Amino acid sequence: MIALVLLALSLVALPQAAGTAPASAATPAAAPSAALAPLSKVLVFSKTAGFRHSSIPAGIAAVQRLGAANGFTVTATEDANAFTTANLAQYQAVIWLSTTGDVLNAAQQTAFESYISAGGGYVGVHAAADTEYDWPWYGGLVGAYFASHPATQQATVRVEDRSSPSTAHLPQRWTRTDEWYNYRANPRSAVKVLASLDESSYSGGSMGDHPITWCQNYRGGRAWYTGLGHTEESFTDPAFTTMLLGGIQTASGARPADCRPENGYTPLFDGTQASLDRWRQAGPGGFTLADGTLTSVGGMGLLWYPVTPFSDYSLKADWMMPGDDNGGVFIGFPDPQGDPWKPVDLGHEIQIDATDADPSRTTGSVYSFKAPDTAARAAALNPPGTWNSYEIAVHGRHVEIFLNGVKINDYTSTRDIAVGHIGVQNDGAGMDINYRNIRIRQDGAQATDLARGRPVTVSSVEPGSAHVGANAVDGNPATRWGSAYSDPQSITVDLGSVRTLQQVRLTWETAYATAYSVQTSTDNATWRTVSSTTAGDGGLDTVAVSGTARYVRVEGTARATQWGYSLWDLAVFGS
């Protein structure tokens, strides 16, 4: 991590990835594909027709230094006549540096709109939001118009997206002095918010939820904006100028970045110890926590989220490999009960590994099942030492994988992954990986364990034992139901009302059923068999079910041992 910070502060450009691929029709589009070459030329536009910031010369000089250090040339102008279709075409991004007021005429506005629609990039700095109030297209491009500001003062910036090229180097909470704009409207629903203000840390904030830096894909092009940059000192601050460099690279298309709006996600790991305390480690090794970042130690193990299984969801996680390393995000697995191999065998790993010779075991693959689209992955992937972001959408058994906003894999599983837990892997010593900002959006009614704590009826209890039926639904993996040593035997759980069912999970003890059926009923009188087997082998059984029922019964007809039937857990998932 120290190496990463030094790399960012050096202002040396990272290797570029070229190309892109279309996102699925159901997902907002990824970055447009017009400007894919390494960043070579930008235009800085600083015309003012209102208040003029004294920091403009410092801003121009900072962009020129960034260009010299990173291999792109910089043209600075205040002449609006530069806004012609032919002239703008030579630039990969146009930086509006604290412009104010009405700075373009109608023809120049049309030329700039054409430039963006052809895949051009826009970078707005500070008072760029105090510009062109009568041009609605520009208002959509910048994201929000300036409304007011208090006196320049110190405040705390919450860095929300720490995988973006412009903000990955920043701490979770960034304290700095600037002139903090309030905006006429909150842009969050239309843009990807990268950072926001903690209004409790200063005086004069009026928005509540207060985005301050964001990006978006806009009408064929890309846009990146920050409200920072009022002070001259900003442009000699390495943290700010590195952010500005990342913004230029994002807008120009020189670095992959997911700029789709992100709404409705709930953090599972938000960088705090309190959120990490809700997770559990299965297997050896683990993770250390510093500055909101998990760093792997040893393995092979799995850090998993035991609070609830998920169904029909979009899972996002940011990750970084320092070099040729290994990790992965796991989906759709049951409680591993301390064994990191159960998620391998029963769920799926979305692999993170740059160099495995097997394409089904490289970054973006459903490990050992389906390789990613290698061209799309190459276009979207940031190199080792830099941050990437996964979105993994799971709906039933359908899995879609997005890398930095670009869809790179689509797979329908033969495994029962519709309801399951999620986790992140620590692969082993020397296979280092970092994770940040793990969050989830759940779509529609969510599956929960409807059997937990509900009344249970059993055909018998093992003589002289405390292994009563209620033990199978108490959520305690150390307690179980045990039956008498005869066939048949059954356990029935009352869900309390008629529910929609998705899955039954049985966790057997050493004594298990070779032959059994799963049955459902709405009235505890008429039963429907939804699954049966004569080749049960114990361990964990997941049974997909459908329809509605109030009662679920497991009826064993042939024991695998001389002992009775023995269940650690009977879980019924549905909504």
Side-chain angles (χ1 to χ4, degrees):
M1 292 305 295
I2 293 172
L4 177 62
V5 173
L6 293 175
L7 181 63
L9 296 181
S10 72
L11 303 184
V12 175
L14 297 160
Q16 309 300 326
T20 190
S24 72
T27 303
S33 58
L36 300 175
L39 181 57
S40 61
K41 195 171 188 178
V42 303
L43 176 67
V44 180
F45 181 54
S46 56
K47 180 180 177 179
T48 55
F51 181 82
R52 185 169 182 84
H53 283 77
S54 63
S55 60
I56 287 175
I60 293 170
V63 177
Q64 290 170 334
R65 290 194 301 272
L66 291 172
N70 294 280
F72 62 90
T73 61
V74 179
T75 300
T77 187
E78 299 199 354
D79 185 357
N81 290 318
F83 283 73
T84 67
T85 301
N87 186 56
L88 292 174
Q90 65 183 303
Y91 301 107
Q92 291 158 295
V94 180
I95 303 164
W96 291 51
L97 178 62
S98 283
T99 52
T100 55
D102 187 358
V103 292
L104 298 184
N105 64 29
Q108 293 158 354
Q109 290 175 358
T110 298
F112 192 57
E113 290 182 15
S114 297
Y115 165 77
I116 293 295
S117 67
Y122 165 86
V123 174
V125 178
H126 194 54
D130 189 22
T131 304
E132 294 287 357
Y133 289 96
D134 297 324
W135 184 13
W137 180 94
Y138 179 83
L141 177 71
V142 69
Y145 283 123
F146 164 80
S148 64
H149 67 77
T152 299
Q153 59 192 290
Q154 182 174 284
T156 299
V157 178
R158 295 191 186 102
V159 182
E160 296 188 21
D161 184 341
R162 300 180 72 206
S163 67
S164 165
S166 60
T167 51
H169 66 289
L170 295 173
Q172 273 194 301
R173 296 179 67 82
W174 182 26
T175 301
R176 57 174 289 108
T177 298
D178 215 310
E179 181 182 73
W180 304 110
Y181 277 8
N182 297 307
Y183 299 96
R184 294 185 179 185
N186 190 323
R188 186 179 291 274
S189 63
V191 305
K192 175 68 171 291
V193 175
L194 306 178
S196 58
L197 289 177
D198 179 355
E199 289 192 345
S200 70
S201 68
Y202 73 104
S203 299
S206 63
M207 295 180 65
D209 176 25
H210 197 144
I212 197 66
T213 301
W214 56 79
C215 66
Q216 62 171 318
N217 305 317
Y218 188 76
R219 300 194 181 185
R222 294 161 299 273
W224 182 93
Y225 170 82
T226 183
L228 284 66
H230 172 80
T231 68
E232 296 175 25
E233 292 79 10
S234 295
F235 295 98
T236 56
D237 176 359
F240 176 80
T241 55
T242 300
M243 183 180 76
L244 180 58
L245 173 63
I248 295 169
Q249 292 171 328
T250 296
S252 68
R255 290 281 303 278
D258 186 355
C259 289
R260 298 172 299 162
E262 184 172 304
N263 296 293
Y265 284 81
T266 299
L268 301 181
F269 168 69
D270 63 6
T272 64
Q273 184 64 51
S275 68
L276 180 58
D277 287 344
R278 293 166 64 87
W279 294 64
R280 295 290 180 269
Q281 180 71 22
F287 292 88
T288 60
L289 173 61
D291 188 27
T293 303
L294 295 173
T295 301
S296 65
V297 178
M300 185 198 92
L302 186 78
L303 183 68
W304 68 288
Y305 190 75
V307 177
T308 182
F310 298 104
S311 63
D312 291 335
Y313 57 90
S314 165
L315 174 69
K316 290 190 175 184
D318 303 337
W319 54 268
M320 190 273 286
M321 294 187 298
D324 183 10
D325 294 293
N326 189 290
V329 179
F330 278 81
I331 58 170
F333 59 90
D335 183 339
Q337 299 181 310
D339 182 358
W341 289 102
K342 283 188 177 180
V344 175
D345 297 334
L346 299 171
H348 283 303
E349 178 184 7
I350 311 306
Q351 177 71 336
I352 303 169
D353 183 354
T355 60
D356 196 298
D358 182 345
S360 73
R361 299 186 176 192
T362 59
T363 296
S365 65
V366 181
Y367 187 78
S368 292
F369 285 86
K370 187 174 181 183
D373 180 324
T374 54
R377 182 189 61 193
L381 182 65
N382 283 313
T386 56
W387 284 88
N388 289 274
S389 181
Y390 267 161
E391 177 190 355
I392 304 165
V394 180
H395 295 90
R397 297 187 181 193
H398 184 208
V399 181
E400 298 171 279
I401 303 169
F402 298 80
L403 175 64
N404 297 323
V406 175
K407 187 173 180 178
I408 62 170
N409 210 337
D410 192 306
Y411 176 68
T412 300
S413 178
T414 58
R415 292 180 171 180
D416 191 6
I417 61 165
V419 181
H421 293 280
I422 63 97
V424 292
Q425 185 186 57
N426 54 301
D427 195 64
M431 295 287 102
D432 304 317
I433 193 162
N434 300 275
Y435 301 100
R436 287 175 176 168
N437 194 19
I438 304 172
R439 63 268 194 211
I440 198 163
R441 185 192 68 221
Q442 297 178 262
D443 304 321
Q446 290 306 301
T448 57
D449 183 358
L450 304 174
R452 181 68 62 88
R454 299 300 306 172
V456 168
T457 303
V458 295
S459 55
S460 68
V461 174
E462 182 180 359
S465 80
H467 304 318
V468 296
N471 291 350
V473 296
D474 64 1
N476 184 348
T479 62
R480 61 185 175 88
W481 164 61
S483 78
Y485 306 165
S486 62
D487 294 311
Q489 299 289 343
S490 66
I491 179 171
T492 303
V493 59
D494 179 358
L495 305 180
S497 62
V498 174
R499 305 296 184 93
T500 299
L501 306 184
Q502 290 179 289
Q503 186 185 85
V504 173
R505 284 188 176 174
L506 307 172
T507 307
W508 297 99
E509 201 247 352
T510 304
Y512 60 92
T514 298
Y516 68 90
S517 62
V518 177
Q519 303 163 2
T520 62
S521 174
T522 57
D523 59 6
N524 205 24
T526 301
W527 292 89
R528 178 173 70 100
T529 299
V530 295
S531 176
S532 62
T533 181
T534 58
D537 57 2
L540 179 76
D541 289 343
T542 60
V543 179
V545 298
S546 61
T548 58
R550 173 172 175 170
Y551 300 91
V552 175
R553 180 168 69 190
V554 179
E555 184 170 67
T557 54
R559 291 168 293 141
T561 70
Q562 62 181 312
W563 315 110
Y565 298 92
S566 187
L567 273 176
W568 292 116
D569 190 59
L570 164 59
V572 179
F573 292 101
S575 59

